Amino acid sequence: MSYLFPNYSRKSIELIKGKDNLLFDQNGKEYLDFTSGIGVMNLGYNDAELNQILAEQAAKIWHTPNLYTNQLQEKLAQKLANNQEYVAFFCNSGTEANEAAIKLARKATGKSKIITCINSFHGRTYGAMSATGQESIHQGFEPLVPDFVYVPFNELAPLTQVLDDKTAAVMLELVQGEGGVLPAEQAWVQKVAGLCKEQGILLIIDEIQTGIGRTGSFYAYEQYQIEPDIVTLAKALGNGLPVGAMLGKKALAQAFAPGSHGSTFGGNKLAMQVAENVVTRINTKEFLQQVQQKGTLLLNGLNQIAAQSTQVQDVRGIGLMLGIELSSSELLTEVMTQLEAAGLLTLRAGSKVLRLLPPLTIKEAEIEQALQLFSAVLTKEG
């Protein structure tokens, strides 16, 4: 018997070792990783620099409570602000970051209504789950946190119909990850941002999967020429070490006075040291340009395969966050199984989208290797 709750559908393989962009299971089989641990391992596995930084900090002190000054938090917060007027709250995960964002929006505005999108995903704790626009995730957990309203993604009219003087915030992903790797349209995002500004409504951008270089810019919102009031981060921020962050405009800082919110382990010194190195290395012009180039290489290759395949309905995404929409959920399961057998790990999104999130350190030769495997599986007859 297992002593674990069965809330995860687990494969029989156990990944026990990683190096760069490769993983190895308990039988020694090698896999090219196109999952990044679900968008986490942006700098790949067993990175020597991160290993050293973690070991050095572990030899000093792991944890101090947030009752004391923490210069490591200050240093990382400044880098995450990225020359904008943001202050940071540190936590341990994406869902915690979104919980903080929801609380801040309601506290700062004195209003409760928050508008999110159908098929969005913001987490599984009660506030974040209530913000998530997927009925399948809500089932069995009602009643949800009240005053969340869901509108269609990339559609302006339904949103304008529900904006009112009771609205605290609009909360968006710029690429719906779990919802099917669906990029937001730039014109729509800019109009939403404009409406929020005009009506004094806060704009929350969930960058938990799109942030830290995943889309080819440090934050995805930079590509949309907007300036959110609140930004949430996690996943790749610690390259596998649990850490999340909520950034808010400095004007919102007074809403989180002492005692208003907290986290015992949030901003611990192990996580701060590692995250600071991750941010420093990824947020450079050269690194981000390489992500853009590799994303284009992968996207072009996938489009060529799609043109020769009757199984592929669409290829979409930004940077190294790409999705291949297949003709059925059954086909998706079959394709993922075949790719795994061939030594390539992938993810699903929605009911029939093959989601690709390789480490940002993926090599061009490894992209070509993956494209050969995609072609072999997706273009064969029968």
Side-chain angles (χ1 to χ4, degrees):
M1 65 168 281
S2 172
Y3 290 90
L4 302 174
F5 275 105
N7 55 311
Y8 298 111
S9 179
R10 299 178 188 266
K11 297 179 180 292
S12 61
I13 64 173
E14 181 176 2
L15 302 170
I16 61 171
K17 186 173 66 172
K19 179 60 180 173
D20 299 329
N21 309 309
L22 301 175
L23 288 166
F24 302 85
D25 70 14
Q26 74 272 32
N27 299 314
K29 182 173 179 178
E30 177 182 296
Y31 301 89
L32 180 59
D33 179 37
F34 264 53
T35 74
S36 299
I38 315 184
V40 169
M41 306 300 292
N42 280 9
L43 292 177
Y45 298 88
N46 201 16
D47 181 88
E49 189 172 343
L50 290 178
N51 288 348
Q52 181 179 351
I53 286 169
L54 183 59
E56 289 176 353
Q57 183 58 46
K60 296 176 182 177
I61 190 168
W62 290 22
H63 170 81
T64 60
N66 286 306
L67 302 173
Y68 305 101
T69 298
N70 189 328
Q71 288 300 327
L72 298 182
Q73 289 186 12
E74 291 284 355
K75 187 176 180 182
L76 177 58
Q78 183 177 5
K79 291 196 172 186
L80 290 176
N82 208 25
N83 299 316
Q84 300 295 320
E85 293 292 310
Y86 288 116
V87 292
F89 165 79
F90 291 110
C91 49
N92 309 287
S93 67
T95 195
E96 289 180 49
N98 281 336
E99 290 284 348
I102 291 164
K103 286 182 68 174
L104 179 61
R106 288 183 166 181
K107 186 80 159 31
T109 64
K111 302 173 184 179
S112 61
K113 183 175 176 181
I114 296 178
I115 300 168
T116 70
C117 287
I118 295 169
N119 289 326
S120 62
F121 183 82
H122 298 291
R124 294 185 184 272
T125 50
Y126 256 96
M129 178 180 65
S130 300
T132 294
Q134 297 187 44
E135 290 185 7
S136 61
I137 289 174
H138 299 164
Q139 288 176 2
F141 298 107
E142 299 89 352
L144 302 178
V145 176
D147 294 341
F148 283 92
V149 177
Y150 317 111
V151 297
F153 193 58
N154 279 328
E155 293 184 28
L156 192 62
L159 177 66
T160 58
Q161 291 170 9
V162 295
L163 287 175
D164 57 27
D165 58 7
K166 298 178 181 178
T167 305
V170 174
M171 187 173 189
L172 303 175
E173 299 163 279
L174 294 176
V175 182
Q176 287 192 336
E178 299 287 339
V181 193
L182 296 166
E185 296 171 2
Q186 186 168 24
W188 175 72
V189 172
Q190 290 181 347
K191 287 177 181 177
V192 172
L195 286 170
C196 287
K197 190 171 183 179
E198 289 170 12
Q199 299 185 33
I201 295 167
L202 299 177
L203 178 62
I204 304 171
I205 299 297
D206 180 338
E207 292 262 14
I208 288 160
Q209 193 166 147
T210 56
I212 322 297
R214 173 56 57 183
T215 65
S217 53
F218 189 69
Y219 297 124
Y221 77 74
E222 296 173 85
Q223 298 182 45
Y224 288 81
Q225 286 94 54
I226 61 170
E227 193 173 303
D229 298 291
I230 300 172
V231 181
T232 55
L233 303 166
K235 285 192 179 291
L237 181 56
N239 208 65
L241 203 66
V243 58
M246 187 266 299
L247 309 180
K249 287 292 187 66
K250 283 189 176 180
L252 301 174
Q254 60 185 358
F256 263 15
S260 58
H261 194 53
S263 169
T264 296
F265 300 109
N268 75 84
K269 295 200 171 187
L270 292 175
M272 294 297 95
Q273 280 285 36
V274 170
E276 192 274 332
N277 182 268
V278 169
V279 171
T280 299
R281 290 166 61 183
I282 290 178
N283 196 14
T284 68
K285 184 177 180 180
E286 181 181 8
F287 188 98
L288 294 170
Q289 283 180 339
Q290 290 175 1
V291 173
Q292 295 168 20
Q293 291 164 3
K294 289 183 282 193
T296 299
L297 175 65
L298 180 57
L299 181 62
N300 289 343
L302 293 174
N303 279 325
Q304 290 175 12
I305 293 168
Q308 303 169 23
S309 174
T310 59
Q311 301 174 335
V312 178
Q313 295 186 328
D314 192 23
V315 176
R316 55 181 179 257
I318 306 175
L320 284 172
M321 184 176 181
L322 299 175
I324 305 171
E325 184 174 346
L326 302 178
S327 55
S328 70
S329 59
E330 294 77 15
L331 176 61
L332 173 59
T333 299
E334 180 183 338
V335 165
M336 291 181 68
T337 300
Q338 291 178 18
L339 290 170
E340 181 184 301
L344 179 63
L345 298 180
T346 56
L347 296 163
R348 67 170 59 237
S351 63
K352 57 180 182 175
V353 176
L354 187 69
R355 180 170 35 158
L356 309 179
L357 300 172
L360 305 186
T361 52
I362 195 80
K363 300 178 178 67
E364 290 190 2
E366 291 171 327
I367 291 175
E368 295 292 353
Q369 176 188 347
L371 287 170
Q372 291 177 12
L373 294 174
F374 289 131
S375 180
V377 171
L378 294 173
T379 61
K380 68 179 182 181
E381 298 295 329

